[in-house]
Each structure stands twice: as C-alpha cells, then as structure tokens.
Amino acid sequence: MGIFSKKNKTNKRGGKQLSESLRDEKLKSSLIINNIDDAVVLVDSSNIVQTFNPAAGALTGWSQEEAIGIDYRSVIKLADDKGKPYPDSNHPFYKVFIGKKTIRDSQATIITRDNRLLAVDISVSPLIDSGNLVSGAIGVLRDVDEQRKEEKQRADFISTASHEMRTPVAAIEGYLALAMNDKVSQIDTKARSFLEKAHASTEHLGKLFQDLLTSAKAEDGRLTSHPEIIELVSYTEKLVEDLKFSAEKKELSLNLIKGSKDATITPLLYTKIDPDRLREVITNLFDNAVKYTDSGGIKIGITGDLNVVQFSIADTGPGIPREDIPHLFQKFYRVDNSATRTVGGTGLGLFISRKIIEMYGGKIWVESELNKGSTFYINIPRINSQQASAELKAKTEETPKLSQTKTV
Ligand code: ADP
C-alpha cells in the first residue's frame, strides 16, 4: 500500500503524517541508492548528471562532487569489448532520450577515469513526464568484469578442448569405416553390428565436438563470416536439390515453394550474407525436420517483401509442446519426449542457428502444433536489386585490379 492511501483523521495530523512519511520515503530512497552495489546515475534532459551514487563513483573513478552537474558523456564513457569507444549515437542514454524505451546493453565496457576497461552490464530507463516527453533517464550499471573474464576462460577452454578432441575422434571414425569396408577388411556379421554401433556413436561425438566449437565461437563473436551478395531464390533451388537425397532416404517428400501463394512470378530476392553460414542454418533446420518426422513431408518456402526475405521449413512431424517453444533456441535445450529421447542430438543446432541469423540482423522463430508439425521461419534483411547490382558491379571491377596487383 502506498503512503498516500493511508486515511488521515484530521487535516493537521494528516499533514504531519504525510510529511513525515515523505521524509521517511526520501530517507529510505537515498539510503538504498547510497548503499546498493550497483552504480545509479540520473541524467536530466540536458544530458547533465543529477544523481551519482557512491557505487557509480567506485566504478568510474569520478567522485560524486565531480560528476554531478556535468555531461554524462564525460563520466560514463562506454566502449565495445575491444576498447573502441562507442559513438555518441550508440550510447544507451542517447538511445533512451531518442527512443523513449528502456535500453539494456550486456556487452558494454566502461572506460574509467584512469583509463582502465571494465566490463559492465548497463540498463537505462526513461523518465517520462505528463506531456509524454523524456524528462530524464536513469541508468543502472553493474560491474561484471570478473564474470565476463570467467565466461571467456570457459569458452576458451571449450574451444580448445573440442578442437583437440575432434582430431582423434575423426581418426577413430575413419578406421571404423575402413574396418566395415568389404574391400579392405573381412569381418563377420556380429563384429560388423558392433562396429556399426561404435561408428554411429563416434559420429555423434564428432558432431558434438564440432557443435561445441561452433557455439563457443558464436558466443564470443569469433565465428568467421565472408558475406557476399547472393540471389536467394536460385541459391535455395540449388540447396534443395542437394537436400533431396536425405528426405528420399526416409521416404519423405520435399517441395520448394517460391514466392507467396498468389504470386505468378517470383521476384529476385537479394541479401548480403555468408552463403556457407546460411547453408549451415537451413541445412540444420532441414535435418531436424527429417530427423523428427516419420511420415509425410517437408516444405521449404522462400518469399519476401520490400525489406525482408523469409525462409520457412515446415514438416509434418510430432510438433513441439507450447511450453518448450520459448527455450528452444537456448544452448543444450532438447524437448524431453519420446521423439527426442530416441533420436540423437546435441541441443546446440538451434542455438547456433539463432546466433548466425542474428549476426546478419535477422530473426528466427518457430510455430508449431502438436501432432501436426512445426514450421521454422527465418527473416533476413533484403537489399533491393539496384543496390545488389551496384555492389556486384563494384566487386567485379575490383577483382581484375586485385589479380593484376597480385601478378605484378
Ligand atoms: P538437437 O541436436 O537436439 O536436434 P537442436 O538445437 O537442433 O538440437 O533442437 C533442439 C530441440 O528442438 C530438439 O531436441 C527437439 O526437441 C526440438 N526440435 C527441433 N526441430 C524440431 C522439429 N522439426 N520437430 C520437432 N521438434 C524439433
């Protein structure tokens, strides 16, 4: 219950109670602000710091007296993880004043007064006045330096370990394949069945190491990317040709649907993306569709509007329970039902797919109905044909020059 909801018996007494409670509330607020571990910074609409708690002082190296009354950009200097200062337009306070919405940046680094870099998690919220204008912004910064260092160490360990383990696993897989090859070795049926099981497990282990390595790289932004302009309709036609074989093996139909239902001609859909990374994502969604679908078929769709190209991969499989959908794109998440218990997997494919699609400013999601099937969607930014041809032309003009310099 708020302080104003208390019933006051007399005006005089009521007035006294009110001011006491107000004083109490003010005292409580300042007690909290001055004693919490997180840095709290209040900035007014002229970009001037109005409140700067002791934790903000400890984090930034600026004292309260110095910070209050000056421009926030002088005391809350942010940079990316490589220490490159944010341009003003990327500063969460600036974004809040422009966009009137809370901004959270969990990957920021603060440059302290003595030029040290500290990893911080920053969240800035607007203070909206009765005229719907932003009268100020309140930022809360948390020092996550230790935490981020530990995360990095963990990711480095996973990268190195999975990289080192992949090599012997590949060798085991190769030798097992040789042992099962009639042309090079003779084994009886019993031995063959054991080796087949060993081979399947080794394959799974190899995939797990590969996925671990890719997801560790995706997490700390080390995934390689060579984006180029590609026309996605012809790209998808070729890709679907390559995928046909694994659908046929399971007696599932595979159809490509181009453009919207009522369109007679499919427009050219250009984007700028690394074709190998996009193939990785679509193949992963397609492999899942095949893996989890026992009968029926898979439809791969490609369509778009002025700004977006949309892929869809629809199956007639078991569907995904509603409560699992929000977690599906998290690391190691697997739906716990009979379908996934019997079908092998790492729970990393969708996590990696999301990271890749987000790397290109896109979005990935799923819609699903139990016992009917699932459709995974990918939206990626589209670029118009003129822009695409201009970039392609610039590239072809550049290539001969480059090869000339090489031969000189
Ligand atoms: P996994 O290696 O387990 O397939 P993914 O990250 O690719 O890992 O998928 C996560 C989980 O999402 C799967 O374990 C499965 O439960 C569910 N899933 C993904 N695709 C489908 C699909 N097409 N139909 C039903 N369930 C799916």
Side-chain angles (χ1 to χ4, degrees), residues 211 214-215 218 280-281 348-357:
D211 282 357
T214 316
S215 67
E280 208 173 323
V281 175
L348 286 168
L350 291 180
F351 171 75
I352 295 171
S353 301
R354 171 169 69 85
K355 286 284 180 186
I356 293 177
I357 293 301

Side-chain angles (χ1 to χ4, degrees), residues 207 211 284-285 288-293 315 317-320 328-330 332-337 340 343-352 368 373-374 376:
K207 169 101 176 81
D211 282 357
N284 176 40
L285 298 181
N288 275 352
V290 172
K291 202 160 79 168
Y292 296 108
T293 305
D315 64 51
I320 299 159
L328 220 57
F329 294 89
Q330 291 166 359
F332 295 117
Y333 196 85
R334 303 198 73 211
V335 177
D336 186 20
N337 61 18
T340 38
V343 180
T346 63
L348 286 168
L350 291 180
F351 171 75
I352 295 171
S368 183
S374 313
F376 284 82

